[in-house]
Amino acid sequence: MEPKIHLHVLASGSKGNAAVVEGPAGSVLIDCGLSLRELRRRADELGANVDDLEAVLVTHEHADHTSGLRVLSNNCDGELIATTGTASARSDLLALPFSLISHDETLEIAGMVVSAFPTSHDVADPIGLLFSVADDEGEVVDSVGWCTDTGYLTAEALGALRGVRILGIESNHDSEMLAHGPYPAFLKRRVAGEHGHLSNDQCAEALPLLVGPDTETVVALHLSEKNNRPSVCIRTLAAALDAEVMGSGVEARTPDGRVSIVAASQTEPLTIW
Ligand SMILES: [Zn+2]
Ligand SMILES: [Zn+2]
């Protein structure tokens, strides 16, 4: 594949999520759990554009994905896009002018084909997203997958994410750290449950199925600050691909140098070219 899409992860985690997907004909934002000021500051840092967005795609209604949406929508000409369930989940979201996307639909935005697939989370109708660019013959030449906030990977998610060049996938918690960590029992059950968050082990288990010959980067998303550490996450994911952990401990690479594994952070924005 030749890079036609770039991914800028501005923030990832329970304190706020936002990522810019830069296509051949513009940029879209995934989720807006940052203030407009912080969104702009982080985008500037990466040289990404959030002032001329073609669309804002919302994966689900939790505040860490939507808290900045209302202010952004007043400052953005791009379409707001979510499922019916997400768009009508709260009165503040109902007041926003959403265009609706369903699971079996594809949209053309910013020179990319965008499709949604169902995830499993304790909200109305959550989605993950697949972005792809095709050449004149209709052959896919680049693709980015995005899947966070899911208790397990649905069959549709596994199908959509397989073989993408950039794989953005949740690796929320280490199960041992969660079990022995500070969360109250009900929250531990929620996080680990079918409608919670994907663990490092669950993510690692899926990687051999999802990483294909064109895959270059795995970006671990939505890491818990209490129940995970980047080094623990990377070590677990690296083992699944027989990848070697680099000196920093927070990046790994397969022995042929083809696939790298990195972790997105709550505080440090990150670009994947
Ligand atoms: Zn979240
Ligand atoms: Zn959530």
Side-chain angles (χ1 to χ4, degrees):
M1 289 198 195
E2 37 179 319
K4 300 276 187 195
I5 310 176
H6 308 304
L7 176 65
H8 307 275
V9 185
L10 304 183
S12 185
S14 58
K15 289 192 183 134
N17 294 273
V20 175
V21 182
E22 196 180 316
S27 293
V28 305
L29 187 72
I30 307 174
D31 290 335
C32 189
L34 296 176
S35 67
L36 185 58
R37 185 198 169 108
E38 192 59 16
L39 193 73
R40 283 183 172 145
R41 191 186 71 74
R42 292 177 184 227
D44 275 354
E45 198 177 309
L46 298 178
N49 162 32
V50 288
D51 287 309
D52 190 20
L53 294 164
E54 300 292 322
V56 181
L57 295 141
V58 182
T59 62
H60 67 292
E61 62 267 31
H62 280 155
D64 55 321
H65 300 257
T66 57
S67 64
L69 208 50
R70 192 183 56 78
V71 174
L72 176 68
S73 74
N74 294 332
N75 289 275
C76 163
D77 295 329
E79 232 179 333
L80 292 185
I81 301 172
T83 61
T84 310
T86 300
S88 54
R90 285 198 314 261
S91 55
D92 61 315
L93 296 173
L94 263 175
L96 296 176
F98 276 106
S99 302
L100 301 175
I101 186 169
S102 57
H103 298 161
D104 45 14
E105 202 177 353
T106 58
L107 304 174
E108 287 213 22
I109 313 171
M112 301 179 284
V113 175
V114 182
S115 59
F117 52 84
T119 53
S120 175
H121 202 46
D122 52 355
V123 289
D125 191 5
I127 52 171
L129 294 160
L130 174 66
F131 303 84
S132 60
V133 173
D135 64 13
D136 294 340
E137 278 80 53
E139 185 107 7
V140 172
V141 293
D142 198 7
S143 58
V144 173
W146 185 266
C147 185
T148 76
D149 296 71
T150 193
Y152 67 95
L153 292 166
T154 62
E156 293 90 339
L158 289 168
L161 298 172
R162 188 165 295 148
V164 292
R165 186 176 68 84
I166 301 174
L167 174 62
I169 182 170
E170 175 164 56
S171 194
N172 175 260
H173 57 277
D174 174 82
S175 299
E176 287 295 307
M177 286 177 73
L178 176 68
H180 299 107
Y183 280 12
F186 81 92
L187 200 50
K188 289 180 180 180
R189 275 197 302 277
R190 182 202 155 238
V191 170
E194 278 209 347
H195 297 96
H197 291 276
L198 212 62
S199 70
N200 294 343
D201 283 337
Q202 285 174 294
C203 179
E205 205 174 294
L207 286 188
L209 304 171
L210 299 180
V211 169
D214 294 318
T215 306
E216 291 177 0
T217 311
V218 175
V219 193
L221 300 172
H222 217 292
L223 271 69
S224 168
E225 292 185 312
K226 296 249 161 54
N227 305 308
N228 208 352
R229 270 199 296 273
S231 60
V232 173
C233 164
I234 293 294
R235 196 190 319 135
T236 308
L237 303 192
L241 294 179
D242 291 324
E244 201 180 316
V245 178
M246 303 285 108
S248 61
V250 292
E251 187 180 349
R253 219 165 291 158
T254 52
D256 58 6
R258 196 171 55 79
V259 184
S260 61
I261 308 171
V262 294
S265 126
Q266 187 72 83
T267 51
E268 297 290 321
L270 169 76
T271 293
I272 313 295
W273 295 102

